[in-house]
Amino acid sequence: MAPQSYDMIVIGAGPGGYVAAIRGAQLGLKVAIVEREHMGGICLNWGCIPTKAMLRSSEVFHLMHRAREFGLKADGIGYDLDAVVKRSRAVARQLNGGVGHLLKKNKVTAIMGEASLPARGKVQVRTDKGTEELEARHIVLATGARARELPGLEADGDLVWTYKHALVPSRMPKKLLVIGSGAIGIEFASFYNTLGAETTVVEVMERILPVEDAEISAFARKAFTRQGMKIMEKSMVKQLDRAKGKVTAHIETGGKVEKHEFDTVISAVGIVGNTEGLGLEELGVKIDRTHVVTDELCRTGVEGLYAIGDIAGAPWLAHKASHEGVMVAELIAGGHPHPVTPESIAGCTYCHPQVASVGLTEARAKEEGFEIKVGRFPFIGNGKAIALGEPEGMIKTVFDAKTGELLGAHMIGAEVTELIQGYVVGRQLETTEADLMNTVFPHPTLSEMMHESVLDAYGRVIHI
């Protein structure tokens, strides 16, 4: 039987793949997408979305305990972990169905199965019904990534969990160890700590949230410590001794190893790209530390083969994958899209308090030789933050002293994951400090702090 022919085949239906497929179809291409597990990929089913649903539950729980501050009464406050998880899964399921609907609406052929590339321009899919042969001039790899497992620290689903186990917990941890303090580790630490788990976070780097600006990391550390978390920086989990119902962790700090006992461990030590079983090496695709090497337009160097999202390397963010998906679809359809630049992509962490940033940190700007001006504004100086009962936080902006270019913005506090986009748009439009100073921000809003932070960088701040 002759293979089914398409203009573009996408492998993987996560936030990179399904968006690429839809954009390709909108541009008039005949598109197929192959997915082995879930429409929407990890992000919708086991990542971004269900974690935000769970974190929202813990946030509401935290606010209920503060009822008296707001003149309200709430007695007998508690939670039902199974119901929290059930809500999170329902949110994921709703969005999973939405992706299927969008693909259908855009006339994308969706095939459930495991794909491999036997030759250039060919895709073989193992489905429940057998093997399907497909062909296309353009193939987009969007197979994503999975949790990295360190030797001796592998997850077992009972005592040691990955993010997947942590999203459908079999029990509420009493003493929890989180290994790794990137976004995933800190979000789970925040969730379980808020619900009452005695939480310890171990980070091998010199500070938690190591990709963030050092000042933001320090602020976060203080906030988490106040919430009862134990933070161990410049530390490494050397081994885990597992026994019935308990894990003894050997944690090394400054050359000294101490033993600590926990009932649950969450491993969040990074990710590895899903590059196996596709036949990539045979096609001549370059792979560097489990990630496909691409140029700035996501081309792999093998004609007609592209890689987007997590499989193509950092930053490992759903919105980066989606944007690359659109870019590649437009390239395939004959357009001339702009490359996606990592410095223009915001990072958001939904712990309590929230963390968000875009562009260069203060240290990085100095390393790159910029003469800089830095502005800061605290939440305590903002009327809306005080009215919300959220006076904890700060906004920091970094400018090029010579040109006034906004090099970076870094925030910690309530709703900063929503605020950051103002600076993202500003950077995209090549805004200078003068443009931002002359912009009228509405009052009373948290966004006014963005204005004040800019004013502070130039000695013009009003409210501190």
Side-chain angles (χ1 to χ4, degrees):
M1 203 168 95
Q4 290 168 276
S5 198
Y6 296 91
D7 298 319
M8 170 179 167
I9 298 169
V10 183
I11 301 172
Y18 87 76
V19 169
I22 288 171
R23 185 67 189 127
Q26 285 175 348
L27 292 165
L29 302 174
K30 185 185 178 192
V31 183
I33 191 163
V34 182
E35 170 55 47
R36 69 178 178 189
E37 259 180 306
H38 316 280
M39 288 298 166
I42 293 296
C43 176
L44 255 63
N45 296 279
W46 293 103
C48 330
I49 299 299
T51 52
K52 299 316 150 289
M54 285 174 80
L55 283 157
R56 178 65 171 156
S57 292
S58 71
E59 183 186 11
V60 173
F61 182 67
H62 168 73
L63 282 170
M64 286 164 78
H65 282 281
R66 294 178 57 195
R68 192 167 292 161
E69 274 180 56
F70 296 94
L72 306 172
K73 287 180 182 167
D75 299 315
I77 298 160
Y79 63 84
D80 174 346
L81 188 60
D82 290 345
V84 169
V85 171
K86 194 175 168 191
R87 175 180 182 270
S88 162
R89 300 317 305 154
V91 169
R93 205 163 41 247
Q94 181 180 342
L95 288 163
N96 169 297
V99 171
H101 168 73
L102 287 170
L103 291 168
K104 204 170 177 178
K105 180 184 156 193
N106 285 281
K107 299 184 174 53
V108 173
T109 304
I111 301 163
M112 294 304 289
E114 190 127 5
S116 60
L117 281 66
R120 214 168 73 196
K122 308 276 185 211
V123 176
Q124 200 171 62
V125 187
R126 283 209 319 275
T127 70
D128 292 346
K129 299 188 182 94
T131 304
E132 283 192 41
E133 307 284 341
L134 316 174
E135 63 180 19
R137 273 185 62 197
H138 302 280
I139 296 169
V140 181
L141 300 170
T143 53
R146 60 186 183 279
R148 182 187 297 281
E149 300 228 76
L150 297 179
L153 313 184
E154 294 92 350
D156 53 39
D158 174 25
L159 298 168
V160 183
W161 298 352
T162 63
Y163 62 89
K164 276 197 178 180
H165 304 119
L167 278 168
V168 284
S170 49
R171 62 171 190 282
M172 177 63 196
K174 289 184 180 69
K175 279 197 78 175
L176 171 67
L177 169 64
V178 177
I179 309 172
S181 76
I184 295 170
I186 283 295
E187 287 184 359
F188 280 123
S190 203
F191 172 77
Y192 283 109
N193 188 68
T194 302
L195 294 190
E198 198 182 309
T199 305
T200 299
V201 178
V202 171
E203 172 54 57
V204 71
M205 307 290 274
E206 62 187 27
R207 55 191 175 82
I208 58 163
L209 295 166
V211 303
E212 299 298 337
D213 187 86
E215 229 174 309
I216 301 296
S217 286
F219 196 112
R221 188 190 204 288
K222 274 193 195 132
F224 298 150
T225 304
R226 270 202 305 276
Q227 292 165 24
M229 272 189 221
K230 184 178 179 186
I231 307 284
M232 299 176 74
E233 293 160 327
K234 287 192 273 195
S235 301
M236 185 185 270
V237 179
K238 303 297 279 185
Q239 75 181 73
L240 297 174
D241 301 334
R242 305 171 204 223
K244 190 165 170 53
K246 69 170 186 180
V247 181
T248 305
H250 299 239
I251 304 173
E252 184 186 314
T253 310
K256 199 172 112 206
V257 177
E258 285 183 357
K259 292 182 187 178
H260 300 263
E261 212 171 271
F262 301 92
D263 61 55
T264 312
V265 178
I266 296 175
S267 177
V269 289
I271 61 171
V272 291
N274 294 322
T275 56
E276 308 87 346
L278 290 161
L280 300 183
E281 289 88 346
E282 293 79 355
L283 287 175
V285 173
K286 280 199 198 78
I287 294 172
D288 176 29
R289 287 166 295 179
T290 80
H291 293 95
V292 173
V293 177
T294 66
D295 69 4
E296 60 182 2
L297 291 170
C298 294
R299 295 176 293 211
T300 63
V302 173
E303 198 191 334
L305 188 62
Y306 310 79
I308 63 171
D310 286 357
I311 195 184
W316 297 292
L317 298 166
H319 43 288
K320 171 237 186 197
S322 298
H323 213 83
E324 286 178 342
V326 169
M327 177 187 76
V328 164
E330 291 181 355
L331 192 66
I332 289 168
H336 302 280
H338 290 289
V340 179
T341 53
E343 298 76 49
S344 64
I345 299 167
C348 297
T349 306
Y350 298 79
C351 44
H352 180 77
Q354 292 181 7
V355 175
S357 59
V358 66
L360 303 182
T361 62
E362 182 179 352
R364 181 79 188 280
K366 284 176 183 165
E367 270 165 38
E368 293 196 9
F370 287 101
E371 192 188 315
I372 58 172
K373 283 187 182 287
V374 179
R376 297 170 185 82
F377 195 82
F379 270 53
I380 195 79
N382 176 264
K384 178 73 181 291
I386 292 166
L388 288 175
E390 299 286 357
E392 187 183 308
M394 70 173 285
I395 291 182
K396 176 175 178 177
T397 44
V398 182
F399 290 90
D400 180 346
K402 291 184 179 142
T403 65
E405 181 192 351
L406 175 64
L407 298 173
H410 310 276
M411 311 179 174
I412 183 164
E415 302 305 333
V416 295
T417 56
E418 298 292 339
L419 294 180
I420 193 67
Q421 189 59 13
Y423 287 136
V424 176
V425 171
R427 277 174 56 81
Q428 186 66 23
L429 299 176
E430 299 181 0
T431 299
T432 64
E433 93 290 2
D435 296 321
L436 289 166
M437 285 184 194
N438 290 325
T439 301
V440 181
F441 286 72
H443 173 80
T445 62
L446 297 174
S447 71
E448 289 173 277
M449 292 185 283
M450 297 166 66
H451 193 217
E452 294 268 21
S453 179
V454 176
L455 293 170
D456 183 54
Y458 289 84
R460 291 176 49 181
V461 68
I462 303 290
H463 288 99
I464 47 169

